[in-house]
Amino acid sequence: MSEAFPDIPRIQYEGPNSKNPLAFKQYNPDEAIGGKSMKEHMRFAAAYWHVMRNPLGDPFGPGTAKMPWDDGSDSVENAVNRVDVFFEFMDKIGIDYYCFHDRDVAPELETLQASNDALDRVADRLLQRQQETGKKLLWGTACLFIHPRFAQGAATSPYLDVYAHGAAQVKKAIEVTHRLGGLGYVFWGGREGYSSLINTDMKRELDHLARFMHMAVDWKKEIGFEGPFYIEPKPREPTTHQYDSDAAACLNFLREHDLLEHFKLNVETNHATLAGHTMQHDLTVAANADALGSIDANRGDELIGWDTDQFPTDIYLTTQIMLVVLNMGGFTTGGLNFDAKRRRESHEPIDLFHCHIGGMDAFARGLKIANAIIEDGRLGDFVKARYSSWDSDLGQKVESGNASLAELETLALRNNISDIPSGRQEMLENLINEFI
Ligand code: XLS
Ligand code: NI
Ligand code: NI
Protein backbone atom coordinates (compact mmCIF):
# COMPACT_ATOMS: atom_id res chain seq x y z
CA MET A 1 0.00 0.00 0.00
CA SER A 2 1.23 3.50 -0.75
CA GLU A 3 1.84 5.82 2.15
CA ALA A 4 -0.97 8.00 3.44
CA PHE A 5 1.43 10.67 4.68
CA PRO A 6 4.16 10.56 2.00
CA ASP A 7 5.60 13.99 2.75
CA ILE A 8 5.87 13.49 6.47
CA PRO A 9 9.03 11.99 7.97
CA ARG A 10 9.30 10.27 11.32
CA ILE A 11 9.07 13.06 13.85
CA GLN A 12 12.38 13.47 15.69
CA TYR A 13 13.54 15.32 18.77
CA GLU A 14 15.52 18.38 17.68
CA GLY A 15 15.64 20.29 20.96
CA PRO A 16 14.31 23.69 22.09
CA ASN A 17 16.22 25.70 19.48
CA SER A 18 14.76 23.90 16.48
CA LYS A 19 12.45 25.93 14.27
CA ASN A 20 11.19 22.84 12.44
CA PRO A 21 7.42 22.54 13.01
CA LEU A 22 7.63 18.80 12.34
CA ALA A 23 10.05 18.12 15.21
CA PHE A 24 9.79 17.74 18.97
CA LYS A 25 11.33 20.60 20.93
CA GLN A 26 10.78 19.06 24.38
CA TYR A 27 9.74 15.44 24.02
CA ASN A 28 12.82 13.27 23.81
CA PRO A 29 11.43 9.76 24.25
CA ASP A 30 14.50 8.04 25.68
CA GLU A 31 15.75 10.90 27.87
CA ALA A 32 15.58 9.97 31.55
CA ILE A 33 13.70 12.24 33.91
CA GLY A 34 13.85 11.21 37.55
CA GLY A 35 15.18 7.77 36.67
CA LYS A 36 12.64 6.83 34.00
CA SER A 37 12.46 7.60 30.29
CA MET A 38 10.01 10.24 29.13
CA LYS A 39 8.16 7.72 27.03
CA GLU A 40 7.69 5.38 29.99
CA HIS A 41 6.41 8.25 32.12
CA MET A 42 3.87 9.40 29.55
CA ARG A 43 2.64 6.26 27.82
CA PHE A 44 1.08 8.42 25.10
CA ALA A 45 -1.86 6.96 23.22
CA ALA A 46 -3.59 8.01 20.00
CA ALA A 47 -7.40 7.94 19.86
CA TYR A 48 -8.63 6.05 16.81
CA TRP A 49 -11.91 7.99 16.74
CA HIS A 50 -10.24 11.38 16.50
CA VAL A 51 -7.29 10.49 14.27
CA MET A 52 -9.15 8.29 11.79
CA ARG A 53 -12.86 8.98 12.10
CA ASN A 54 -13.40 12.56 13.14
CA PRO A 55 -14.65 14.54 10.14
CA LEU A 56 -14.26 17.78 12.17
CA GLY A 57 -17.88 18.87 12.07
CA ASP A 58 -19.33 21.22 14.66
CA PRO A 59 -22.93 22.06 15.66
CA PHE A 60 -23.14 24.55 12.78
CA GLY A 61 -21.64 22.64 9.92
CA PRO A 62 -20.39 19.35 8.52
CA GLY A 63 -16.90 17.95 8.54
CA THR A 64 -13.99 19.52 6.70
CA ALA A 65 -11.24 16.92 7.28
CA LYS A 66 -9.41 15.70 4.20
CA MET A 67 -8.89 11.95 4.35
CA PRO A 68 -7.68 10.96 0.88
CA TRP A 69 -7.14 7.34 2.00
CA ASP A 70 -10.80 6.86 2.97
CA ASP A 71 -13.38 5.94 0.29
CA GLY A 72 -16.19 7.13 2.56
CA SER A 73 -17.94 3.76 2.50
CA ASP A 74 -18.99 1.47 5.34
CA SER A 75 -17.18 -1.47 3.80
CA VAL A 76 -14.95 -3.74 5.83
CA GLU A 77 -12.21 -3.24 3.22
CA ASN A 78 -12.21 0.48 3.89
CA ALA A 79 -12.08 -0.21 7.63
CA VAL A 80 -9.14 -2.58 7.24
CA ASN A 81 -7.37 -0.08 5.04
CA ARG A 82 -7.75 2.60 7.71
CA VAL A 83 -5.87 0.38 10.16
CA ASP A 84 -2.78 0.62 7.98
CA VAL A 85 -3.07 4.39 7.78
CA PHE A 86 -3.43 4.59 11.55
CA PHE A 87 -0.34 2.48 12.14
CA GLU A 88 1.63 4.61 9.68
CA PHE A 89 0.51 7.62 11.69
CA MET A 90 1.55 6.06 15.01
CA ASP A 91 4.91 5.07 13.58
CA LYS A 92 5.65 8.54 12.22
CA ILE A 93 4.51 10.44 15.31
CA GLY A 94 6.22 7.97 17.69
CA ILE A 95 3.21 6.98 19.81
CA ASP A 96 3.24 3.45 21.20
CA TYR A 97 -0.35 2.98 22.40
CA TYR A 98 -3.84 3.49 21.01
CA CYS A 99 -7.48 3.40 22.09
CA PHE A 100 -10.64 2.66 20.13
CA HIS A 101 -14.39 2.18 20.21
CA ASP A 102 -15.83 -0.88 18.46
CA ARG A 103 -17.65 1.34 15.98
CA ASP A 104 -14.62 3.49 15.12
CA VAL A 105 -12.56 0.63 13.86
CA ALA A 106 -15.34 -1.37 12.22
CA PRO A 107 -18.69 -0.41 10.68
CA GLU A 108 -22.08 -0.96 12.26
CA LEU A 109 -23.92 -3.19 9.78
CA GLU A 110 -27.55 -4.38 9.42
CA THR A 111 -27.43 -6.93 12.23
CA LEU A 112 -25.43 -7.28 15.41
CA GLN A 113 -23.97 -10.53 14.07
CA ALA A 114 -22.77 -8.82 10.89
CA SER A 115 -21.23 -6.01 12.93
CA ASN A 116 -19.49 -8.53 15.19
CA ASP A 117 -18.07 -10.33 12.17
CA ALA A 118 -16.82 -7.07 10.70
CA LEU A 119 -15.19 -6.21 14.02
CA ASP A 120 -13.43 -9.57 14.06
CA ARG A 121 -12.06 -9.01 10.57
CA VAL A 122 -10.71 -5.58 11.49
CA ALA A 123 -9.32 -6.97 14.76
CA ASP A 124 -7.36 -9.54 12.73
CA ARG A 125 -5.66 -6.66 10.97
CA LEU A 126 -5.10 -4.70 14.19
CA LEU A 127 -3.50 -7.73 15.77
CA GLN A 128 -1.27 -8.31 12.78
CA ARG A 129 -0.11 -4.70 12.72
CA GLN A 130 0.44 -4.72 16.51
CA GLN A 131 2.64 -7.79 16.17
CA GLU A 132 4.63 -6.24 13.33
CA THR A 133 5.19 -2.91 15.07
CA GLY A 134 5.08 -3.61 18.82
CA LYS A 135 2.34 -1.00 19.29
CA LYS A 136 -0.11 -1.76 22.09
CA LEU A 137 -3.76 -1.23 22.86
CA LEU A 138 -4.09 0.98 25.96
CA TRP A 139 -7.84 0.42 26.17
CA GLY A 140 -10.86 -0.53 24.16
CA THR A 141 -14.46 0.52 24.59
CA ALA A 142 -17.90 0.14 23.05
CA CYS A 143 -19.78 3.00 21.43
CA LEU A 144 -23.17 3.00 23.13
CA PHE A 145 -24.11 6.56 22.21
CA ILE A 146 -24.18 7.24 18.45
CA HIS A 147 -26.86 4.87 17.15
CA PRO A 148 -30.44 6.19 17.56
CA ARG A 149 -31.41 3.10 19.59
CA PHE A 150 -29.28 4.56 22.39
CA ALA A 151 -30.93 7.98 22.30
CA GLN A 152 -32.46 7.35 25.74
CA GLY A 153 -29.46 5.55 27.17
CA ALA A 154 -27.93 2.08 26.93
CA ALA A 155 -27.17 0.59 30.36
CA THR A 156 -29.74 3.02 31.77
CA SER A 157 -32.27 2.72 28.95
CA PRO A 158 -35.90 2.37 30.02
CA TYR A 159 -36.14 -0.44 27.44
CA LEU A 160 -34.81 -3.93 28.12
CA ASP A 161 -34.09 -4.77 24.48
CA VAL A 162 -31.87 -1.69 24.16
CA TYR A 163 -30.11 -2.64 27.42
CA ALA A 164 -29.53 -6.13 26.00
CA HIS A 165 -28.06 -4.71 22.79
CA GLY A 166 -25.67 -2.56 24.79
CA ALA A 167 -24.72 -5.56 26.92
CA ALA A 168 -23.98 -7.63 23.82
CA GLN A 169 -21.81 -4.88 22.38
CA VAL A 170 -19.86 -4.55 25.63
CA LYS A 171 -19.40 -8.32 25.83
CA LYS A 172 -17.96 -8.36 22.33
CA ALA A 173 -15.82 -5.26 22.85
CA ILE A 174 -14.26 -6.75 26.01
CA GLU A 175 -13.52 -9.95 24.08
CA VAL A 176 -11.84 -8.05 21.23
CA THR A 177 -9.90 -5.88 23.71
CA HIS A 178 -8.71 -9.07 25.41
CA ARG A 179 -7.73 -10.65 22.12
CA LEU A 180 -5.66 -7.60 21.23
CA GLY A 181 -3.87 -7.72 24.58
CA GLY A 182 -5.56 -4.49 25.69
CA LEU A 183 -4.28 -3.15 29.00
CA GLY A 184 -7.66 -1.84 30.14
CA TYR A 185 -11.27 -1.31 29.17
CA VAL A 186 -13.24 1.95 29.43
CA PHE A 187 -16.85 2.68 30.20
CA TRP A 188 -17.85 6.15 29.18
CA GLY A 189 -21.58 6.45 29.77
CA GLY A 190 -22.22 8.50 26.67
CA ARG A 191 -25.96 8.75 27.20
CA GLU A 192 -26.28 7.28 30.68
CA GLY A 193 -28.17 10.13 32.26
CA TYR A 194 -31.38 11.99 31.68
CA SER A 195 -32.70 14.91 29.74
CA SER A 196 -35.59 15.37 32.15
CA LEU A 197 -36.53 13.85 35.51
CA ILE A 198 -40.19 14.12 34.56
CA ASN A 199 -40.07 10.80 32.71
CA THR A 200 -37.16 9.16 34.54
CA ASP A 201 -36.99 6.54 37.29
CA MET A 202 -33.51 7.48 38.46
CA LYS A 203 -33.24 4.79 41.12
CA ARG A 204 -34.17 2.01 38.74
CA GLU A 205 -31.81 3.29 36.04
CA LEU A 206 -28.86 3.44 38.46
CA ASP A 207 -29.61 -0.06 39.76
CA HIS A 208 -29.65 -1.31 36.17
CA LEU A 209 -26.33 0.41 35.51
CA ALA A 210 -24.81 -1.32 38.53
CA ARG A 211 -26.12 -4.71 37.36
CA PHE A 212 -24.64 -4.00 33.93
CA MET A 213 -21.22 -3.33 35.46
CA HIS A 214 -21.40 -6.46 37.62
CA MET A 215 -22.21 -8.58 34.58
CA ALA A 216 -19.26 -7.02 32.77
CA VAL A 217 -17.00 -7.91 35.72
CA ASP A 218 -18.33 -11.48 35.63
CA TRP A 219 -17.64 -11.67 31.91
CA LYS A 220 -14.13 -10.32 32.23
CA LYS A 221 -13.38 -13.06 34.78
CA GLU A 222 -15.03 -15.68 32.61
CA ILE A 223 -12.77 -14.94 29.64
CA GLY A 224 -9.66 -14.22 31.72
CA PHE A 225 -9.26 -10.54 30.88
CA GLU A 226 -7.06 -9.12 33.62
CA GLY A 227 -6.86 -5.45 32.78
CA PRO A 228 -8.74 -2.94 34.90
CA PHE A 229 -12.08 -1.47 33.99
CA TYR A 230 -12.16 2.31 33.96
CA ILE A 231 -15.12 4.64 34.30
CA GLU A 232 -14.71 7.97 32.55
CA PRO A 233 -16.57 10.76 34.37
CA LYS A 234 -18.42 13.47 32.44
CA PRO A 235 -21.12 15.75 33.84
CA ARG A 236 -23.37 16.78 30.96
CA GLU A 237 -23.55 16.95 27.22
CA PRO A 238 -25.20 15.12 25.58
CA THR A 239 -27.73 14.75 28.39
CA THR A 240 -28.69 17.38 30.96
CA HIS A 241 -27.22 15.26 33.73
CA GLN A 242 -24.88 12.31 33.37
CA TYR A 243 -24.83 9.77 36.17
CA ASP A 244 -21.00 9.58 36.05
CA SER A 245 -20.79 13.32 36.49
CA ASP A 246 -17.38 13.64 38.15
CA ALA A 247 -14.76 11.58 39.96
CA ALA A 248 -16.54 11.88 43.31
CA ALA A 249 -19.91 10.80 41.88
CA CYS A 250 -18.29 7.81 40.15
CA LEU A 251 -16.49 6.74 43.30
CA ASN A 252 -19.70 6.99 45.28
CA PHE A 253 -21.57 4.91 42.70
CA LEU A 254 -18.84 2.27 42.68
CA ARG A 255 -18.75 2.07 46.49
CA GLU A 256 -22.50 1.97 46.86
CA HIS A 257 -22.77 -0.92 44.43
CA ASP A 258 -19.76 -2.91 45.58
CA LEU A 259 -17.78 -2.32 42.42
CA LEU A 260 -14.83 -0.27 43.64
CA GLU A 261 -12.32 -3.11 43.66
CA HIS A 262 -12.92 -3.75 39.95
CA PHE A 263 -12.73 -0.20 38.65
CA LYS A 264 -10.45 2.77 38.39
CA LEU A 265 -11.16 6.10 36.71
CA ASN A 266 -10.13 7.48 33.35
CA VAL A 267 -10.14 11.22 34.01
CA GLU A 268 -10.49 13.66 31.10
CA THR A 269 -9.54 17.33 31.36
CA ASN A 270 -12.47 18.80 29.44
CA HIS A 271 -14.93 16.67 31.42
CA ALA A 272 -13.48 17.84 34.74
CA THR A 273 -13.81 21.47 33.67
CA LEU A 274 -17.38 20.94 32.41
CA ALA A 275 -18.11 19.59 35.90
CA GLY A 276 -16.91 22.89 37.34
CA HIS A 277 -13.62 21.47 38.62
CA THR A 278 -10.03 21.85 37.63
CA MET A 279 -8.35 18.78 36.15
CA GLN A 280 -6.02 18.82 39.13
CA HIS A 281 -9.04 18.56 41.42
CA ASP A 282 -10.59 15.54 39.74
CA LEU A 283 -7.24 13.81 39.40
CA THR A 284 -6.56 14.37 43.10
CA VAL A 285 -9.97 13.01 44.09
CA ALA A 286 -9.30 9.89 42.01
CA ALA A 287 -5.71 9.45 43.20
CA ASN A 288 -6.70 9.83 46.86
CA ALA A 289 -9.06 6.88 46.43
CA ASP A 290 -6.24 4.91 44.79
CA ALA A 291 -8.38 4.90 41.68
CA LEU A 292 -6.55 7.08 39.17
CA GLY A 293 -6.13 4.65 36.29
CA SER A 294 -5.65 6.63 33.12
CA ILE A 295 -6.00 10.10 31.61
CA ASP A 296 -7.75 11.45 28.54
CA ALA A 297 -5.48 14.36 27.75
CA ASN A 298 -7.15 17.36 26.18
CA ARG A 299 -8.52 20.74 27.25
CA GLY A 300 -11.67 22.82 26.87
CA ASP A 301 -12.12 26.45 26.01
CA GLU A 302 -13.32 28.80 28.73
CA LEU A 303 -15.31 30.76 26.17
CA ILE A 304 -17.11 27.77 24.66
CA GLY A 305 -19.44 25.76 26.86
CA TRP A 306 -19.02 22.30 25.42
CA ASP A 307 -16.53 19.46 25.16
CA THR A 308 -14.26 21.02 22.54
CA ASP A 309 -11.63 18.32 23.10
CA GLN A 310 -8.74 20.58 22.15
CA PHE A 311 -5.14 19.50 22.30
CA PRO A 312 -3.42 20.42 25.57
CA THR A 313 -0.92 23.23 25.09
CA ASP A 314 -1.02 24.95 28.48
CA ILE A 315 2.18 24.30 30.43
CA TYR A 316 0.53 25.05 33.79
CA LEU A 317 -2.09 22.42 33.05
CA THR A 318 0.39 19.75 32.00
CA THR A 319 2.59 20.59 35.00
CA GLN A 320 -0.33 20.13 37.39
CA ILE A 321 -1.28 16.83 35.75
CA MET A 322 2.26 15.50 35.88
CA LEU A 323 2.61 16.54 39.52
CA VAL A 324 -0.35 14.31 40.39
CA VAL A 325 0.93 11.47 38.20
CA LEU A 326 4.47 11.62 39.64
CA ASN A 327 3.21 11.91 43.20
CA MET A 328 1.13 8.77 42.78
CA GLY A 329 4.21 6.93 41.52
CA GLY A 330 3.36 6.98 37.79
CA PHE A 331 0.98 5.05 35.58
CA THR A 332 0.69 1.29 35.80
CA THR A 333 -1.79 0.12 33.17
CA GLY A 334 -2.93 3.59 32.10
CA GLY A 335 -1.39 6.40 30.11
CA LEU A 336 -2.01 9.76 28.46
CA ASN A 337 -4.54 9.25 25.70
CA PHE A 338 -5.02 12.20 23.36
CA ASP A 339 -8.80 12.25 23.34
CA ALA A 340 -8.45 15.46 21.37
CA LYS A 341 -9.24 16.76 17.95
CA ARG A 342 -8.02 19.43 15.60
CA ARG A 343 -10.09 22.54 15.06
CA ARG A 344 -12.47 22.45 12.13
CA GLU A 345 -10.16 24.93 10.40
CA SER A 346 -7.20 22.52 10.59
CA HIS A 347 -8.46 20.10 8.00
CA GLU A 348 -5.29 18.88 6.30
CA PRO A 349 -3.66 15.53 7.16
CA ILE A 350 -0.46 17.28 8.27
CA ASP A 351 -2.46 19.03 11.02
CA LEU A 352 -2.80 15.62 12.70
CA PHE A 353 0.94 15.79 13.26
CA HIS A 354 1.06 19.39 14.41
CA CYS A 355 -1.58 18.82 17.08
CA HIS A 356 0.01 15.68 18.50
CA ILE A 357 3.50 17.22 18.45
CA GLY A 358 2.14 20.15 20.44
CA GLY A 359 0.41 17.92 22.98
CA MET A 360 3.45 15.70 23.43
CA ASP A 361 5.81 18.66 23.81
CA ALA A 362 3.46 20.34 26.29
CA PHE A 363 3.41 17.19 28.43
CA ALA A 364 7.17 16.78 28.14
CA ARG A 365 7.63 20.26 29.58
CA GLY A 366 5.04 19.55 32.23
CA LEU A 367 6.93 16.41 33.21
CA LYS A 368 10.29 18.17 33.43
CA ILE A 369 8.83 21.02 35.46
CA ALA A 370 6.87 18.76 37.80
CA ASN A 371 9.93 16.59 38.36
CA ALA A 372 12.08 19.66 39.09
CA ILE A 373 9.51 20.99 41.58
CA ILE A 374 9.43 17.64 43.38
CA GLU A 375 13.23 17.34 43.41
CA ASP A 376 13.58 20.91 44.69
CA GLY A 377 11.40 19.91 47.62
CA ARG A 378 10.35 23.36 48.86
CA LEU A 379 6.72 23.00 47.81
CA GLY A 380 6.37 19.54 49.33
CA ASP A 381 8.13 20.65 52.51
CA PHE A 382 5.82 23.63 52.88
CA VAL A 383 2.69 21.50 52.62
CA LYS A 384 4.12 18.96 55.04
CA ALA A 385 5.01 21.66 57.55
CA ARG A 386 1.56 23.20 57.19
CA TYR A 387 0.02 20.07 58.68
CA SER A 388 2.76 19.34 61.21
CA SER A 389 0.54 20.01 64.26
CA TRP A 390 -1.19 16.77 63.31
CA ASP A 391 2.05 14.89 63.99
CA SER A 392 1.68 15.66 67.71
CA ASP A 393 0.35 12.98 70.09
CA LEU A 394 -3.14 14.43 70.08
CA GLY A 395 -3.11 14.88 66.29
CA GLN A 396 -2.15 11.25 65.87
CA LYS A 397 -4.90 10.22 68.27
CA VAL A 398 -7.48 12.10 66.17
CA GLU A 399 -6.19 10.68 62.90
CA SER A 400 -6.29 7.12 64.18
CA GLY A 401 -9.84 7.56 65.47
CA ASN A 402 -8.93 7.36 69.17
CA ALA A 403 -9.67 10.87 70.38
CA SER A 404 -12.84 12.35 71.81
CA LEU A 405 -14.47 15.75 71.66
CA ALA A 406 -13.70 16.08 75.40
CA GLU A 407 -9.95 15.76 74.81
CA LEU A 408 -10.14 18.35 72.06
CA GLU A 409 -12.07 20.57 74.41
CA THR A 410 -9.23 20.30 76.95
CA LEU A 411 -6.80 21.57 74.33
CA ALA A 412 -9.19 24.29 73.23
CA LEU A 413 -9.74 25.55 76.78
CA ARG A 414 -6.00 25.71 77.41
CA ASN A 415 -5.09 27.43 74.12
CA ASN A 416 -6.16 30.90 73.27
CA ILE A 417 -5.69 31.04 69.49
CA SER A 418 -4.43 34.52 68.78
CA ASP A 419 -2.91 33.88 65.35
CA ILE A 420 -2.56 31.19 62.70
CA PRO A 421 0.21 30.86 60.07
CA SER A 422 -0.19 32.30 56.57
CA GLY A 423 -1.13 29.87 53.78
CA ARG A 424 1.45 31.63 51.52
CA GLN A 425 -0.49 30.90 48.34
CA GLU A 426 1.15 33.70 46.35
CA MET A 427 4.63 32.82 47.55
CA LEU A 428 4.06 29.26 46.36
CA GLU A 429 2.61 30.40 43.04
CA ASN A 430 5.80 32.41 42.58
CA LEU A 431 7.84 29.36 43.48
CA ILE A 432 6.12 27.30 40.76
CA ASN A 433 6.76 30.06 38.25
CA GLU A 434 10.47 29.80 39.02
CA PHE A 435 10.35 26.47 37.25
CA ILE A 436 8.10 27.45 34.33
C1 XLS B 1 -16.49 11.75 25.02
C2 XLS B 1 -15.56 10.83 25.65
C3 XLS B 1 -15.21 9.61 24.82
C4 XLS B 1 -14.59 8.56 25.69
C5 XLS B 1 -14.64 7.18 25.15
O1 XLS B 1 -16.71 12.87 25.47
O2 XLS B 1 -14.43 11.51 26.03
O3 XLS B 1 -14.38 9.96 23.77
O4 XLS B 1 -13.28 8.87 26.00
O5 XLS B 1 -15.92 6.77 24.87
NI1 NI C 1 -12.61 10.66 26.69
NI1 NI D 1 -14.67 14.09 25.97
Side-chain angles (χ1 to χ4, degrees):
M1 198 198 121
S2 59
E3 288 182 44
F5 308 103
D7 304 327
I8 295 173
R10 268 211 185 128
I11 308 302
Q12 308 286 348
Y13 173 71
E14 291 185 4
N17 295 326
S18 167
K19 298 282 180 276
N20 176 4
L22 290 177
F24 296 117
K25 318 289 185 306
Q26 300 288 335
Y27 180 60
N28 187 10
D30 296 316
E31 181 183 330
I33 303 286
K36 201 157 105 178
S37 74
M38 293 181 102
K39 108 176 150 198
E40 286 171 289
H41 275 292
M42 313 295 205
R43 296 164 64 86
F44 287 128
Y48 204 96
W49 56 100
H50 285 309
V51 175
M52 298 310 299
R53 305 311 310 277
N54 200 321
L56 307 180
D58 69 16
F60 297 96
T64 55
K66 286 188 188 158
M67 303 183 190
W69 53 81
D70 196 305
D71 69 14
S73 79
D74 260 350
S75 73
V76 178
E77 290 65 36
N78 193 28
V80 169
N81 184 44
R82 277 188 210 114
V83 171
D84 292 345
V85 176
F86 186 65
F87 275 77
E88 183 189 333
F89 171 75
M90 282 203 290
D91 176 50
K92 288 187 166 167
I93 193 71
I95 288 184
D96 294 331
Y97 298 88
Y98 71 104
C99 303
F100 69 79
H101 301 80
D102 51 357
R103 300 302 180 241
D104 317 320
V105 289
E108 167 129 17
L109 301 174
E110 322 72 59
T111 62
L112 181 61
Q113 188 59 57
S115 302
N116 284 349
D117 294 344
L119 183 53
D120 283 334
R121 282 184 53 198
V122 177
D124 291 342
R125 188 67 169 172
L126 288 166
L127 187 60
Q128 184 195 335
R129 304 296 280 137
Q130 280 182 213
Q131 284 163 349
E132 286 164 8
T133 61
K135 307 284 179 203
K136 295 197 181 83
L137 177 60
L138 190 70
W139 50 261
T141 187
C143 175
L144 306 184
F145 47 89
I146 290 179
H147 193 281
R149 77 170 74 81
F150 296 125
Q152 297 174 47
T156 62
S157 171
Y159 315 112
L160 176 61
D161 53 354
V162 174
Y163 185 92
H165 194 104
Q169 249 184 269
V170 165
K171 172 178 175 288
K172 180 72 184 172
I174 297 172
E175 290 164 7
V176 170
T177 299
H178 182 40
R179 187 176 159 223
L180 295 175
L183 299 177
Y185 183 90
V186 161
F187 291 84
W188 172 56
R191 291 184 191 272
E192 314 298 12
Y194 57 79
S195 291
S196 170
L197 272 180
I198 206 163
N199 58 3
T200 302
D201 186 337
M202 191 203 283
K203 170 140 185 34
R204 225 170 162 183
E205 289 197 358
L206 281 166
D207 286 346
H208 295 166
L209 181 61
R211 295 319 323 161
F212 195 96
M213 298 305 193
H214 275 289
M215 287 188 278
V217 169
D218 292 345
W219 193 251
K220 131 182 177 164
K221 289 185 185 153
E222 171 105 23
I223 64 172
F225 176 61
E226 284 178 359
F229 281 168
Y230 305 117
I231 290 197
E232 183 175 324
K234 185 176 181 181
R236 57 194 157 94
E237 192 209 35
T239 62
T240 311
H241 175 79
Q242 299 271 130
Y243 293 133
D244 300 331
S245 55
D246 64 2
C250 289
L251 290 169
N252 180 61
F253 171 82
L254 292 170
R255 271 198 199 99
E256 183 181 349
H257 296 280
D258 242 349
L259 285 159
L260 196 51
E261 63 173 303
H262 306 292
F263 283 81
K264 290 187 182 287
L265 302 183
N266 178 41
V267 180
E268 176 169 321
T269 316
N270 205 164
H271 298 180
T273 53
L274 284 173
H277 305 309
T278 61
M279 179 59 162
Q280 194 177 16
H281 169 92
D282 249 27
L283 288 175
T284 304
V285 169
N288 287 348
D290 200 19
L292 176 53
S294 201
I295 289 178
D296 270 6
N298 62 17
R299 71 178 161 104
D301 185 317
E302 274 172 33
L303 304 177
I304 304 177
W306 74 78
D307 196 12
T308 56
D309 284 344
Q310 285 166 252
F311 273 80
T313 51
D314 179 341
I315 309 298
Y316 283 89
L317 171 68
T318 57
T319 299
Q320 289 167 346
I321 293 174
M322 293 316 294
L323 274 171
V324 179
V325 171
L326 291 180
N327 282 328
M328 80 164 182
F331 291 117
T332 50
T333 53
L336 289 168
N337 170 45
F338 287 116
D339 191 354
K341 61 175 184 258
R342 302 166 278 160
R343 298 304 81 201
R344 189 166 185 262
E345 299 89 327
S346 311
H347 58 290
E348 294 177 1
I350 194 173
D351 292 309
L352 281 170
F353 288 85
H354 292 311
C355 61
H356 284 83
I357 289 170
M360 293 161 81
D361 266 348
F363 266 99
R365 277 196 73 185
L367 168 66
K368 290 182 211 170
I369 294 165
N371 183 65
I373 290 171
I374 291 171
E375 280 182 354
D376 169 80
R378 280 174 291 159
L379 180 63
D381 289 348
F382 180 90
V383 177
K384 199 153 175 276
R386 191 167 183 230
Y387 293 86
S388 58
S389 62
W390 292 88
D391 301 332
S392 65
D393 288 346
L394 183 57
Q396 287 302 295
K397 258 182 122 179
V398 175
E399 287 192 345
S400 58
N402 294 311
S404 70
L405 288 183
E407 280 170 273
L408 290 166
E409 183 187 43
T410 310
L411 174 69
L413 288 171
R414 208 173 51 222
N415 267 6
N416 237 345
I417 301 169
S418 57
D419 197 17
I420 59 168
S422 163
R424 299 268 187 266
Q425 179 178 329
E426 296 78 5
M427 181 192 84
L428 297 170
E429 286 168 345
N430 300 348
L431 186 155
I432 287 180
N433 274 358
E434 277 180 36
F435 295 86
I436 295 188

